[in-house]
Amino acid sequence: MIQSIEQLCDFVDLSPDDLAIDFDSIFPFKVPKHFAEQIEKGNPNDPLLKQILPGLAERDVYPGFSPDPVGDLAANPQPSLIHKYHGRALLIASPRCDIHCRYCFRRHFPYEQAKKQHWQAALENIAQDHSISEVILSGGDPMTLSENSLVELIDGIEAIPHVSTLRIHSRTPIVAPHKAHRPTLLKTLSKSRLQTVLVVHCNHANELTPESAELMQQFRQSNVFLLNQTVLLKDINDSANTLSALSKKLFSQGILPYYCHLLDKVSGSGHFDIQKHQAWAIFEQLRQTLPGYLVPRFVEEIAGEPYKTLLIDPNSQDIKPTA
Ligand code: SF4
């Protein structure tokens, strides 16, 4: 880990005085060394640096931005469990992440509820609801759990007969691939009756490295299906060229682009937002230049909706389809 903002600035050859940093942010700075090593030295506009540096711009207040923009708390029937969509339940498996992304939609989530002691009740809730066939491990980041705890949790899910799919949402394989290398976990997944999907979170091609490629190969060899989700971020990846390069590099590592999320309007992140017509223009360019399987679904999450909503042409009057 890089221990402080000052250490990061030193590491990337930049002066804190030139970066409009908020040293007092309530959402603390955190970045692993592997991610910092991919930042271009001396470049204050590096797209990876902008994702992690607490900026004074986070203090700006924007209309429509709130602490819980996607309605997690309204769909939180008991500690650690979020049940929003039919057939799927999400377990907040860990209160921690290996990196703090400044745009994070859960930056204000009450993570004190994400405790191992709540797992049993959450699993009992899932066991009683036969409509649930897929369990999603999220967080925080489930890869911050110890390997033993993670395997114990997966064993508990596997013991529920009507659950057939395990989905793991994690940014750790991208930002700290060495930490996500878990031999016992891989063995567990390769032998599991559950179909497993690992949805990594990567926003820019520069985040993908030989180390992430090697790790992805290990997951694939363990029968894990690999998808990626991206957040569309102003001045970081808001161009068709940048997202096209990302899709191609993901595919070279065996990962298919899944979602490109329009920014969840969480307080403190307004400076990352782009207009829907700009997002639509990027999507159109991607469709014209990439094969369909490399074009992610552009979606937004609207609190209370029973599914994520596909972006449509802002000039069209069509009813929003399911993502
Ligand atoms: S890894 Fe995911 S949950 Fe953690 S800070 Fe980043 S966006 Fe938020």
Side-chain angles (χ1 to χ4, degrees), residues 72-116:
D72 273 350
L73 295 179
N76 188 203
Q78 63 184 75
S80 291
L81 189 68
I82 294 181
H83 194 182
K84 247 183 221 181
Y85 301 140
H86 178 80
R88 289 147 280 170
L90 185 146
L91 256 167
I92 300 285
S94 168
R96 289 178 299 280
C97 293
D98 284 309
I99 189 168
H100 284 174
C101 314
R102 307 313 304 174
Y103 51 84
C104 179
F105 70 103
R106 290 207 180 112
R107 56 183 284 168
H108 304 291
F109 189 82
Y111 276 118
E112 60 277 6
Q113 65 168 262
K115 292 189 180 131
K116 194 173 175 183

Side-chain angles (χ1 to χ4, degrees), residues 5-315:
I5 296 174
E6 289 86 349
Q7 192 189 350
L8 175 73
C9 289
D10 198 38
F11 190 71
V12 298
D13 293 343
L14 288 167
S15 164
D17 298 340
D18 300 330
L19 294 169
I21 295 168
D22 184 355
F23 286 95
D24 300 319
S25 172
I26 50 164
F27 184 44
F29 163 83
K30 189 174 188 183
V31 68
K33 194 164 178 215
H34 176 85
F35 190 87
E37 283 169 346
Q38 316 316 317
I39 295 170
E40 184 189 359
K41 293 197 189 303
N43 179 6
N45 295 313
D46 181 274
L48 276 57
L49 179 68
K50 286 183 162 189
Q51 294 180 47
I52 53 158
L53 209 55
L56 289 171
E58 292 179 25
R59 296 185 184 184
D60 296 340
V61 176
Y62 289 78
F65 283 67
S66 66
D68 181 24
V70 298
D72 273 350
L73 295 179
N76 188 203
Q78 63 184 75
S80 291
L81 189 68
I82 294 181
H83 194 182
K84 247 183 221 181
Y85 301 140
H86 178 80
R88 289 147 280 170
L90 185 146
L91 256 167
I92 300 285
S94 168
R96 289 178 299 280
C97 293
D98 284 309
I99 189 168
H100 284 174
C101 314
R102 307 313 304 174
Y103 51 84
C104 179
F105 70 103
R106 290 207 180 112
R107 56 183 284 168
H108 304 291
F109 189 82
Y111 276 118
E112 60 277 6
Q113 65 168 262
K115 292 189 180 131
K116 194 173 175 183
Q117 71 204 55
H118 298 308
W119 289 356
Q120 193 51 40
L123 292 177
E124 281 168 15
N125 184 309
I126 294 167
Q128 284 163 16
D129 186 343
H130 287 247
S131 72
I132 296 172
S133 59
E134 178 172 5
V135 175
I136 301 162
L137 300 186
S138 183
D141 198 310
M143 290 281 186
T144 58
L145 293 171
S146 73
E147 193 168 26
N148 285 347
S149 292
L150 195 49
V151 168
E152 180 189 331
L153 184 55
I154 293 169
D155 286 346
I157 294 166
E158 192 170 13
I160 303 173
H162 55 266
V163 175
S164 58
T165 305
L166 169 71
R167 194 188 329 168
I168 302 172
H169 283 184
S170 179
R171 187 141 164 73
T172 299
I174 303 298
V175 303
H178 56 284
K179 203 178 163 197
H181 173 71
R182 307 284 186 85
T184 308
L185 172 67
L186 291 170
K187 206 167 157 188
T188 301
L189 295 177
S190 67
K191 288 183 176 168
S192 176
R193 70 166 181 83
L194 298 169
Q195 288 185 299
T196 305
V197 186
L198 173 62
V199 184
V200 296
H201 170 177
C202 179
N203 298 318
H204 195 284
N206 292 0
E207 296 173 34
L208 294 163
T209 61
E211 291 83 0
S212 65
E214 193 181 329
L215 180 69
M216 293 308 145
Q217 192 178 7
Q218 291 167 356
F219 275 110
R220 285 162 67 201
Q221 286 169 346
S222 305
N223 303 324
V224 177
F225 199 83
L226 302 175
L227 299 172
N228 179 59
Q229 52 185 344
T230 296
V231 182
L232 191 56
L233 299 164
K234 186 176 181 183
D235 297 334
I236 290 175
N237 62 5
D238 57 336
S239 81
N241 282 345
T242 303
L243 289 179
S244 177
L246 172 61
S247 281
K248 289 174 182 169
K249 199 160 178 188
L250 285 166
F251 188 59
S252 75
Q253 299 199 0
I255 310 166
L256 278 178
Y258 174 37
Y259 277 149
C260 180
H261 295 270
L262 272 61
L263 184 77
D264 293 318
K265 296 186 185 309
V266 67
S267 309
S269 72
H271 55 296
F272 288 119
D273 201 17
I274 71 165
Q275 299 293 312
K276 277 190 191 170
H277 70 270
Q278 295 172 295
W280 180 258
I282 294 169
F283 176 62
E284 278 285 76
Q285 287 176 54
L286 287 178
R287 283 207 299 196
Q288 287 165 19
T289 52
L290 289 175
Y293 59 88
L294 291 187
V295 181
R297 296 169 175 88
F298 277 49
V299 292
E300 61 179 322
E301 183 161 347
I302 300 172
E305 292 280 312
Y307 44 73
K308 291 192 174 45
T309 303
L310 272 180
L311 179 68
I312 57 166
D313 182 346
N315 297 315

